Structure formats: C-alpha cells, structure tokens
Amino acid sequence: MSNGQSQEIIDQFCILYEKTSHHGYPRFKPSVQQRLKRRMEKLVQLHPDWYTDDYVDYFWSIINQDSLPESEQQFAHLHLVAYLDTSRCHFIRQFSRKFPFPLATCLHFFDLTTDVLYNRDSLKKIIDNYKATTSHAANLKTYVEGALKNIILDQMNWESDWHLLCNVDLTSRRKFNNAQQRLKEALLRQGLREPMISQYCFAWQYFVPIYKNNRRYNPIQRKGRAWVQPERSDFEETARAYNLNRFVANTPLQVSSGSNVTAQMIQQWMTSCIDALRNYQKLVETSRDADSYEKHYDLSVNPWEIVEYDQGYDDFINHITSNLQAKLQTIDQNLEKIRSKIPQQFRQAVMPLCYPHELSLLVQEQFAKKVGVNQGTIARFIANTYKSPLLTQLDSLMRTQLSPDLDSWSQTYVNEFLSKRFTNPNQTHEIDRALMVTINSLNHQSQLLLRLYYGQNRSIDTLVEDLDHESTYTIDQNLISIRSDLQRVARETIHKLQLSYVEQVTRVYYKQVVSCQLLTALSSMKLRKILKMRYAQRMPEDKIDRLLPNENISQAINHAKQQLQKVLLQWSYGNYGISLEAEKEQVSKVIEIWLNQLYCLDLNKKNRI
C-alpha cells in the first residue's frame, strides 16, 4: 500500500465533525482526534494489506465484544463514526435542500443524526441490520444514509405543531422557564408586543399541562408517539384556568389588567405561538463577539434613550458627549492647579493608566505604590477632580433639556407611563424598569388599584364598589401617594443614569488613549498583515499557514505581540515616567484583549493597515 493510500485510510477513520449532541453522547475533544490518528497509524502499519472494509469489520467486531475494555469499544465506536461522518454530512446537506429554509433544516437534521451516530446501541443496530442482509448491493455508507433518512422522516412524521409548542419538561422549573423565555423571544421576533406577549405566555403555561394530561398521558386519548390535535375542551379548560388565576399574586400586570378570555381566543393565541416558534427556528444567530462588543462598548447603546425628547435627540446626545469629552481635556490640561498628595509629575498618568476600563494597564493599588501614596488618595483624586465636575456639567446640560425642572419632568413622565405604558413598559429602558420594580413591591391592594384604574380604565366611583367599599377620598389619596413614590424613583434613576453616563464617557475616552497607541504602532509594523488576518478577519492560524506558506505564523504573531508590548512600556515610561517592567504580564493581557477587539475598529479611518 502506497503512502498516499495509507494516509487516505487513516484520515477516513480519524476526522470527526465537532458537534455536541443534545442528549449527552460523547463530546470529543481535539486531543481525542489526535489519539484516533495515532491508533490508526499503528493499525495501518500492522495490517498494510487491509482494505477499508477490513477496518470497518475490525471496529464493528470490537464494539460487539462486551468482554473488551470500555475504552477500546469507545475508540472503535468513534472510528466508525469518523468513517461515516463525511458522507453523512454530504447527504444531510443535499437532503435539506428539498425543504423550506434549508440552512435551519440542515442544522436540525445534523443534530438529529448526531444523536443516532453517537449512540453506540443505535449505530450497532443499523450496522447489524446491514450485515444481516443477504445482498450487499449497497455499501455501508449508502445503507447508513438510507437508515438516517428513514429516521429523519419518522421524526418529522412524529413531530407536529403541538409537539413544537408543548414538548416541555414539566418536572423541571428551570427547563420550563427556559422554554417560556424562548417562546417570549420568538413572539417578540414575530413582531408581537406587550401586553399580548405576557397574555400569550400566561395562557401557554396553563395550556401545556392541560394538553399533556388530556392527550399525552391519558391512555384512552394517546395515539402512540404522535402529538395529536387538541380538542375544544382543552382550550375551554385553559380559558377557565386563565380567568380564575388572573388576579393571583405575581400575575403579570398585562394579564390582570386585561379582560376575561374565551376558548376561541386561547386557540388563536396558541396557533400564533406555534407560528412564532416555527419562524424562530429558521433564524440564524449573529456573532456573539460582535453582539457583546456593541452591547457593552458602543456609545450608540445609550441609557439616555429612556428620556423621550420631542426632537433633536441625536443632536442632544452628541452635544453632551462632546461637552463631557471637552471637559476631560480641560481638566487634563489644568492638573497642576489642583490640590492633591499625588506628585505633580504623575497626575496626568492616573486616568490613562489606571481608570477602570478593559485596557487599564494598572489597578489603583499598583499605581499608588509606584507614586508613593495610598489607594484612597487615587480614588479621591478621580472622584473630586474628574467625576464631580463632569456630573455638575451633565446636570446643567440635563436641566436645560428637562424643563422647567426635574420635579415637573418626573411628574409628567410618571403620568404618561401610567396612562400609556402601564401594561406595556419598555423593558430596555432604565426608568420604566425601575418603576415596574417599585410597582411590583407594593402590597396586593395597591397593585390591584393600579391594575383596575390604569389597566382597565375603571372610574374611581366604580372602584369604590370593587375595593371593599373604600371611600372616594381614600382611593384618591392612595393614587396620589403611589404616584409620589414613583416620581421619587424616576428622579433617583435619573441620578443613577447621570453617574453611569459619566463613567461610560470617561471609560471610552481613556480606553481610546491606549487604543490609539497600539493602533498607531500596528499601522507601521511589518507583521500587520498577519495580525489583521488573524484578529480583524478572524482567520484561524492553520488557514493563514495555507495562505502564507513561507511564514511561521505562530512565531510571527508572538513577535508582533512583543513589539506591541514594547510600545506600551515605552509610552508609559516616556510620557508619564511610570515603568511597567514588573507588570509585563498584565500588559500582555491588555494587548490580547485589544487584538480580540480589532475587528470592531475602523482600520481605514485614521491609521491605514
């Protein structure tokens, strides 16, 4: 057997596609794949005259011998999975094209067949059936493809709309909550909004156990594995449960503020939930890294979005951001005029080197030791010299927008919230969330008062009869007291947002100081192309190796990181007189963080790479 043929056989029984099974069958690691390769190399040396079918028979015989060690059976099983994996993937890719939304279908089929192949008993059964056939007109791979196709079709016939909606583990609160959260996300992506989402989910949590008890667990109604169509009695029972539990403790406001429901409404709602879940499965997720970066570090994600201005919102946000950045520059230029125990020559180093952001090179305690002061001095310096003036300026800018004053604004905001968004709060807005937390902490009688007055628009005269015959005066005073508490919470939240925004602007400003040093250095490096491919374009090293075969990629990347480390060490000592030689490991971590965010930076804007 030639070397080329030997390597081909080795590869056939070693290469696995890394995919985790839903049901916990063995999840292999890269180290396992290397062990498979070494085992195959030894086996090929021992049996150079064997053909592919001989190796298949050999591994099949091992997994059928219970007397052999479990580890031997596991490896033989993985060798067979590797042998079948390539053709399995090709078959699924072709087969899924026959269905709508082939990408989502392909992923679903891949998961389903993974559960079969990684279950040793299932794979043994398929191969046993193949061996038992009198004629082997089809080879093993073709036979397995046919078996997997039948399994897929059987699963599709078994699964129904009601399987998609009700296949929930009722014995696990965690799993049930996860399924409910998934349904909420699906409804949101479908375009539904509150109060409908909360009402649909509230109905769903009663429909699932009712359906399963009546159609799945009832021996008279059960039809094998099939998830049968529900009957009208199921929807009627759900409607009764919904209406009966509408006012119990911890019921969502969107539910208790609504009206009674009918069986027909429940049926329509459950059908809408099924549509949402089907469409939700067809969506392709975006990059987690990109999503994480935008969520935490993009200034366009702004807490001041909750303050709803009539016009000029973007202009106002840009105005306060540029104002605060200008204030930071002014403070930096006048540090010699302030009173502080920090030696004057080190004051400008405090914010660039140790203000807490991702690229901080030191923590406050380390910086304090280097300049001969205690950590409290550093913290007071930041609070008094930077945060206090920035908060004062931001407060002044906000007062020009929240006219005539913060008290009047909070009163208007709370009144609009109660009258327009009480049953549909914006969960992404800080003030709305704070108001909902306060409302949920009220006693049951106060919550019921709000639900009836603002949710169902009951008049005070009607409430006198509904609420234990309380007087009009008492109800009116209770509403005034609740609104007063909510206005206080709105003002406190505005203050928290001011602190948060000042910290956000400051973090971004001084993070950019460090980032610019690295970006400038990178733009003039000979190895910038490799770093751009590895970190900006997210190419794995083995792919770069193929594109640049004359380069030692791993060595080049390490060398480039050392150069960037040297740049930061020289910058810190040259600009601020602070040596970071003892903190080289920390500097290396900062460089790694910065490189992993390289894809988010505009490499062509200022420093072209």
Side-chain angles (χ1 to χ4, degrees):
M1 185 185 300
S2 67
N3 289 336
Q5 292 174 321
S6 299
Q7 188 60 47
E8 183 180 352
I9 288 180
I10 292 171
D11 290 343
Q12 281 187 64
F13 290 90
C14 294
I15 298 176
L16 291 158
Y17 289 85
E18 186 165 1
K19 182 69 177 178
T20 306
S21 164
H22 288 321
H23 298 293
Y25 302 123
R27 174 191 174 94
F28 61 85
K29 301 176 182 178
S31 58
V32 172
Q33 194 150 293
Q34 292 299 319
R35 293 177 69 180
L36 292 175
K37 184 177 181 180
R38 290 196 296 270
R39 290 168 61 88
M40 277 305 301
E41 288 173 346
K42 292 179 181 178
L43 195 58
V44 168
Q45 290 177 358
L46 288 173
H47 304 284
D49 55 332
W50 278 11
Y51 294 98
T52 300
D53 290 343
D54 298 318
Y55 292 102
V56 172
D57 292 338
Y58 172 72
F59 293 129
W60 179 70
S61 67
I62 290 177
I63 66 174
N64 278 284
Q65 295 183 46
D66 296 334
S67 59
L68 291 176
E70 174 64 19
S71 60
E72 285 296 315
Q73 295 187 56
Q74 286 180 357
F75 277 111
H77 178 205
L78 289 178
H79 281 302
L80 288 174
V81 172
Y83 173 70
L84 299 169
D85 230 6
T86 303
S87 63
R88 186 266 297 233
C89 292
H90 179 73
F91 152 68
I92 288 175
R93 187 167 60 249
Q94 298 296 325
F95 188 52
S96 59
R97 291 175 180 173
K98 300 179 180 179
F99 297 87
F101 301 96
L103 178 58
T105 303
C106 181
L107 295 175
H108 176 57
F109 289 172
F110 192 90
D111 288 339
L112 179 59
T113 54
T114 294
D115 291 342
V116 175
L117 292 183
Y118 278 84
N119 183 334
R120 194 189 308 167
D121 291 333
S122 297
L123 184 59
K124 282 173 61 177
K125 184 177 179 180
I126 293 174
I127 298 179
D128 285 343
N129 290 338
Y130 171 74
K131 295 289 185 180
T133 57
T134 55
S135 172
H136 290 173
N139 62 33
L140 177 61
K141 290 185 177 181
T142 304
Y143 184 85
V144 170
E145 287 176 13
L148 293 178
K149 182 178 180 180
N150 290 334
I151 290 171
I152 291 171
L153 293 175
D154 179 63
Q155 179 74 10
M156 292 175 66
N157 292 332
W158 172 59
E159 291 177 351
S160 71
D161 290 343
W162 304 104
H163 170 271
L164 183 65
L165 183 69
C166 301
N167 186 25
V168 182
D169 187 352
L170 299 177
T171 63
S172 169
R173 172 54 57 182
R174 179 183 61 82
K175 292 180 179 179
F176 189 85
N177 289 340
N178 288 341
Q180 187 175 53
Q181 183 61 34
R182 179 170 171 269
L183 176 59
K184 287 181 179 179
E185 292 176 2
L187 291 169
L188 186 64
R189 289 178 180 271
Q190 189 78 346
L192 276 75
R193 294 293 180 265
E194 295 290 1
M196 297 174 67
I197 291 178
S198 293
Q199 291 171 351
Y200 282 24
C201 290
F202 190 74
W204 172 82
Q205 74 179 18
Y206 290 105
F207 177 78
V208 170
I210 288 171
Y211 173 85
K212 296 187 85 170
N213 285 331
N214 293 347
R215 307 298 153 211
R216 295 290 298 165
Y217 304 146
N218 188 336
I220 299 175
Q221 295 289 337
R222 190 173 57 208
K223 296 181 180 179
R225 296 201 314 153
W227 292 70
V228 299
Q229 289 282 336
E231 297 181 3
R232 182 171 178 79
S233 59
D234 301 325
F235 300 119
E236 290 174 346
E237 190 175 345
T238 303
R240 285 195 296 271
Y242 184 102
N243 296 330
L244 184 64
N245 293 282
R246 207 156 56 84
F247 290 109
V248 299
N250 300 323
T251 300
L253 289 170
Q254 295 86 345
V255 174
S256 58
S257 300
S259 57
N260 283 346
V261 300
T262 64
Q264 185 178 3
M265 291 172 64
I266 295 293
Q267 184 174 1
Q268 292 173 349
W269 290 1
M270 294 304 98
T271 302
S272 296
C273 288
I274 290 171
D275 291 339
L277 288 170
R278 285 208 176 279
N279 291 329
Y280 183 70
Q281 287 186 326
K282 298 163 187 172
L283 297 175
V284 179
E285 293 184 357
T286 57
S287 165
R288 289 174 180 260
D289 291 335
D291 178 66
S292 174
Y293 179 86
E294 291 170 3
K295 184 182 295 183
H296 294 290
Y297 305 113
D298 188 355
L299 273 177
S300 64
V301 180
N302 200 296
W304 293 111
E305 245 182 307
I306 50 87
V307 186
E308 297 178 354
Y309 305 121
D310 293 334
Q311 57 184 357
Y313 167 77
D314 291 335
D315 291 340
F316 178 71
I317 291 298
N318 292 333
H319 174 64
I320 63 173
T321 302
S322 61
N323 241 287
L324 295 180
Q325 290 176 341
K327 185 68 175 179
L328 286 171
Q329 292 177 352
T330 303
I331 294 172
D332 279 340
Q333 293 167 3
N334 294 279
L335 291 177
E336 72 279 356
K337 299 178 182 179
I338 68 165
R339 295 180 60 186
S340 176
K341 294 181 181 179
I342 300 175
Q344 187 170 323
Q345 68 269 28
F346 298 128
R347 293 176 186 176
Q348 284 194 334
V350 173
M351 301 299 281
L353 294 187
C354 73
Y355 190 80
H357 54 74
E358 295 170 286
L359 304 184
S360 297
L361 299 171
L362 297 171
V363 297
Q364 290 183 14
E365 185 178 3
Q366 291 173 315
F367 187 91
K369 288 181 180 179
K370 287 183 178 291
V371 302
V373 298
N374 60 52
Q375 184 180 350
T377 301
I378 303 297
R380 285 192 297 274
F381 175 84
I382 294 174
N384 298 334
T385 308
Y386 287 88
K387 287 188 177 179
S388 181
L390 290 172
L391 281 170
T392 300
Q393 180 148 350
L394 179 58
D395 186 64
S396 175
L397 293 167
M398 291 299 301
R399 288 183 184 279
T400 62
Q401 190 69 20
L402 302 180
S403 57
D405 55 55
L406 187 57
D407 290 340
S408 299
W409 177 87
S410 63
Q411 182 178 352
T412 302
Y413 189 95
V414 168
N415 288 338
E416 289 186 357
F417 169 82
L418 291 172
S419 61
K420 298 179 181 179
R421 299 195 305 282
F422 177 68
T423 60
N424 185 24
N426 192 327
Q427 296 297 336
T428 64
H429 288 178
E430 194 75 23
I431 296 181
D432 276 23
R433 288 206 305 268
L435 295 179
M436 288 305 302
V437 169
T438 304
I439 290 172
N440 290 332
S441 68
L442 297 174
N443 59 49
H444 178 70
Q445 193 75 358
S446 297
Q447 288 190 39
L448 185 59
L449 173 61
L450 290 177
R451 291 172 179 178
L452 295 174
Y453 186 72
Y454 290 104
Q456 298 187 13
N457 295 319
R458 303 275 188 92
S459 67
I460 291 182
D461 292 336
T462 306
L463 294 178
V464 171
E465 299 177 3
D466 294 338
L467 300 175
D468 299 330
H469 300 284
E470 290 191 21
S471 66
T472 302
Y473 175 79
T474 303
I475 292 175
D476 195 46
Q477 289 301 306
N478 285 341
L479 289 173
I480 292 173
S481 176
I482 293 172
R483 285 194 294 263
S484 177
D485 288 341
L486 295 177
Q487 290 164 21
R488 173 183 52 78
V489 169
R491 292 193 296 271
E492 291 174 353
T493 308
I494 281 289
H495 181 64
K496 292 177 182 178
L497 288 173
Q498 287 177 321
L499 288 171
S500 175
Y501 194 69
V502 163
E503 290 176 356
Q504 182 186 37
V505 171
T506 308
R507 279 198 306 269
V508 172
Y509 182 83
Y510 287 104
K511 175 186 171 182
Q512 194 65 22
V513 172
V514 180
S515 181
C516 283
Q517 306 304 317
L518 294 170
L519 195 56
T520 301
L522 184 60
S523 65
S524 59
M525 288 174 56
K526 293 181 179 179
L527 298 173
R528 63 185 179 275
K529 180 180 179 180
I530 294 176
L531 286 183
K532 181 179 178 182
M533 294 169 71
R534 176 65 185 88
Y535 291 99
Q537 299 175 6
R538 295 301 180 94
M539 290 186 187
E541 286 190 21
D542 57 349
K543 184 174 181 179
I544 303 175
D545 274 324
R546 293 193 294 271
L547 295 174
L548 303 174
N550 297 326
E551 296 278 359
N552 186 325
I553 302 304
S554 180
Q555 182 178 337
I557 291 175
N558 289 333
H559 182 63
K561 291 178 181 178
Q562 291 172 4
Q563 288 182 270
L564 292 174
Q565 182 192 67
K566 185 177 180 181
V567 166
L568 287 186
L569 295 177
Q570 291 176 343
W571 169 70
S572 175
Y573 188 75
N575 279 46
Y576 308 115
I578 303 289
S579 173
L580 300 179
E581 287 293 331
E583 291 79 22
K584 280 186 175 181
E585 186 175 345
Q586 286 178 227
V587 176
S588 296
K589 290 180 180 178
V590 166
I591 290 169
E592 192 67 35
I593 292 171
W594 181 79
L595 287 172
N596 281 314
Q597 296 177 5
L598 198 62
Y599 71 100
C600 300
L601 303 178
D602 187 352
L603 302 178
N604 300 311
K605 185 176 180 181
K606 195 170 183 180
N607 298 289
R608 187 177 298 275
I609 294 182

